[in-house]
């Protein structure tokens, strides 16, 4: 069976590891672009569209962070929906970074919300705090869709819960990862990755090799690159034979036009140049 | 200082412990009400409005579960927004059950999304998995608003993470609760409850008294009543001198009209009767 992680695997093989994060804040948009639009939803959608059009061939997957759109209310979510639909039109793989986590019928509703209809995405991020039963409502979708479950994040507070050491000496992150790895076995694709992947932050340098070898069936969504401190040279440890993970950058790409090296480029051309730069740096590190 | 939990405390004192959960699924709406509306957003909003109008004086707080509205896409979120605005018009306290959990600027965006604008609520539910730094973006709002943080839930998978026992013999739930209790000290109201409350599921019967005495500054949002197995006679253990918590029921109230005892009542009158019944049962158990 070919699952969504197979498609991602093939994209990584062809186009590299870049996951472009569309965490679009109005403050990121250049003034001379803003002046062309007289409403929020058109402005945000068209900024995203320009970025997408300029990067289609150098990005393996787009991740849209819903919080930025929710913050703008109904208009923001209209822009979110249009962005997702445009990405599908362009046959791109879309990760909706929603980090939902709830139980029973409420989780059914989140699955319906983010795998179908106005907000349909290919893969969504999930928060497992309430337990593994919270994942079950997504299972019926996993032949075509996928989930990336928060496993080992890279923020400063990650130790508060994920880093708690249990009586058996495993951390909460490790326990979560091992449970996910086991549950994921029922959703394996032809490249030996499950439709259940993991969010593994890229500043966990010391633990990286252990995490990678433990969670061998799991494709990784790796945030924390660039602005958050993750470096290209560390990426090899997160990958399995150079594949099995995508590395997200959001601000680093959306705001590339503000960097000295790209100062003569339009925002979308700067974004493209930064994607290529990031892609090549990661490939070189392998 | 009067904080949002003071307002909730005073409502509980006056009107009892019922938190009415507007987890509105179209399937819950009677056919003869559906036929009056020709679009989803009007239908859902007006069903909610009828329930709200019939229960204003017997309910202390309304909790709106966003997943049900997200599942219907943009139209659903329009109904969500209108429901929240109507509740504010009626001067009710509103909990947005969004269980968001993210870091840094993304959490800033969630705070903006759910404390201001189209989706403005008084209190929101938060998932703490990524750590205590994920709460900080909500702090600037806590003089007027509040958060209920997932602490000890009552679903079958709750033991997977919340129930992990750490080296010091505390469970993850206990560690989370104690951290929240401590962080909450900076946001205390005049009735000795912090703007940071806890979601504590009502089927944790054995642990209830310990949780209540440990988290003495935290107001509780208690789900799991009725349909999920929680009983009125157990409520006293979750409360502090009869206050300090609200008990949520959603389906039990929205679908009350299907119960034999209310079969001669309209759905909104059945909802009201069920709220009164639940309120009185809990008061009697104290």
């Amino acid at each position: 069976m070919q699952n969504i992680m197979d498609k991602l695997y093939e994209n990584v093989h062809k186009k590299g590891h870049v996951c472009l994060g569309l965490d679009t804040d109005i403050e990121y948009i250049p003034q001379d672009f803003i002046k062309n639009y007289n409403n929020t939803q058109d402005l945000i959608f068209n900024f995203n569209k320009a970025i997408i059009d300029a990067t289609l061939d150098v990005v393996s997957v787009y991740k849209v962070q819903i919080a930025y759109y929710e913050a703008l209310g109904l208009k923001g979510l209209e822009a979110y929906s249009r962005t997702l639909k445009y990405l599908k039109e362009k046959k791109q793989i879309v990760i909706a970074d929603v980090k939902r986590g709830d139980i029973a019928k409420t989780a059914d509703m989140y699955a319906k919300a983010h795998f179908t209809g106005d907000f349909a995405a290919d893969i969504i991020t999930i928060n497992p705090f309430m337990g593994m039963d919270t994942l079950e409502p997504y299972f019926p979708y996993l032949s075509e869709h996928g989930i990336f479950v928060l496993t080992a994040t890279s923020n400063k507070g990650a130790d508060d819960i994920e880093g708690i050491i249990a009586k058996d000496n495993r951390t909460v992150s490790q326990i979560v990862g091992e449970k996910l790895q086991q549950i994921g076995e029922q959703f394996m694709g032809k490249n030996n990755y499950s439709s259940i992947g993991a969010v593994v932050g890229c500043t966990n340098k010391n633990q990286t090799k252990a995490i990678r070898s433990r969670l061998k069936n799991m494709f990784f969504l790796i945030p924390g690159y660039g602005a958050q401190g993750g470096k290209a040279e560390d990426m090899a440890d997160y990958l399995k034979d150079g594949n099995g993970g995508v590395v997200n950058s959001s601000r680093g790409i959306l705001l590339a036009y503000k960097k000295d090296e790209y100062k003569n480029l339009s925002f979308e051309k700067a974004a493209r140049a930064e994607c290529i730069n990031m892609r090549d740096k990661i490939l070189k590190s392998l």
Side-chain angles (χ1 to χ4, degrees), chain A:
Chain A
M1 194 189 85
Q2 188 183 29
N3 67 15
I4 189 72
M5 299 302 173
D6 287 317
K7 292 184 190 165
L8 206 43
Y9 180 94
E10 284 149 26
N11 270 11
V12 167
H13 185 70
K14 283 184 291 195
K15 304 201 281 180
H17 304 81
V18 177
C19 171
L20 195 165
L22 290 165
D23 304 14
T24 306
D25 186 335
I26 289 175
E27 288 177 10
Y28 298 167
I29 306 179
Q31 283 304 325
D32 61 355
F33 192 83
I34 291 180
K35 68 173 196 275
N36 301 324
Y37 298 94
N38 47 31
N39 71 59
T40 307
Q41 57 274 45
D42 286 345
L43 170 62
I44 302 232
F45 170 69
N46 282 290
F47 176 81
N48 287 349
K49 180 176 180 297
I51 296 272
I52 294 163
D53 288 340
T55 56
L56 284 169
D57 59 327
V58 294
V59 159
S60 276
V61 58
Y62 293 84
K63 179 172 84 64
V64 193
Q65 172 50 261
I66 198 171
Y68 286 73
Y69 303 83
E70 276 184 38
L72 299 169
L74 292 167
K75 289 177 181 178
L77 287 162
E78 187 190 321
Y80 177 79
S81 176
R82 285 167 67 186
T83 301
L84 264 52
K85 285 176 182 161
Y86 187 69
L87 285 164
K88 287 324 291 173
E89 215 177 291
K90 293 289 170 182
K91 304 201 183 310
Q92 299 302 299
I93 302 175
V94 184
I95 301 169
D97 196 355
V98 297
K99 296 190 182 69
R100 301 304 191 245
D102 215 309
I103 58 167
K105 191 162 176 190
T106 307
D108 287 342
M109 290 292 168
Y110 278 135
K112 186 180 168 205
H114 299 286
F115 286 144
T116 74
D118 287 342
F119 309 135
D122 297 300
I123 310 179
I124 66 177
T125 57
I126 295 291
N127 183 320
F129 182 68
M130 295 175 81
M132 297 302 143
D133 58 333
T134 65
L135 306 181
E136 290 165 14
Y138 303 98
F139 292 175
Y141 296 88
L142 294 187
S143 55
E144 285 182 39
H145 295 85
I147 56 177
F148 279 121
V149 185
L150 293 175
T151 301
T153 64
S154 54
N155 53 306
K156 70 179 164 68
D159 277 348
D160 291 335
I161 296 179
E162 298 168 52
I164 291 172
I165 299 170
K167 276 201 173 296
D168 64 5
N169 287 316
R170 294 183 300 164
T171 60
V172 166
S173 272
Q174 190 177 344
I175 293 170
V176 170
E178 290 174 6
K179 276 185 202 286
L180 293 171
Q181 159 84 7
Q182 193 188 4
I183 294 168
E185 281 171 9
Q186 55 190 307
F187 306 106
M188 298 299 289
K190 65 186 170 91
N191 290 295
N192 292 319
Y193 289 103
S194 168
S195 306
I196 300 180
V199 179
V200 176
C202 88
T203 53
N204 288 299
K205 225 176 137 179
N206 301 330
Q207 310 154 30
T208 318
K209 284 185 184 176
I211 293 175
R212 182 65 278 180
S213 69
R214 206 181 290 134
L215 308 181
K216 58 183 192 311
N217 298 339
M218 298 181 81
F219 208 92
F220 285 178
L221 168 61
I222 307 162
Y225 181 89
Q228 292 172 54
K231 292 186 172 54
E233 47 274 32
D234 303 326
M235 286 306 115
D237 292 346
Y238 290 91
L239 304 171
K240 216 171 77 180
D241 306 325
N243 205 314
V246 287
V247 183
N248 184 73
S249 176
S250 304
R251 263 170 295 177
I253 296 170
L254 301 182
L255 291 177
Y257 71 92
K258 294 195 170 180
K259 292 180 190 166
D260 273 353
E261 56 197 297
Y262 305 128
K263 68 179 174 195
N264 297 319
L265 299 180
S266 63
F267 72 86
E268 68 270 31
K269 285 188 177 155
R272 177 183 175 79
E274 179 58 21
C275 288
I276 293 171
N277 179 37
M278 178 177 162
R279 176 195 69 186
D280 292 348
K281 268 192 184 162
I282 294 171
L283 288 171
K284 215 177 120 187
S285 80
L286 301 182

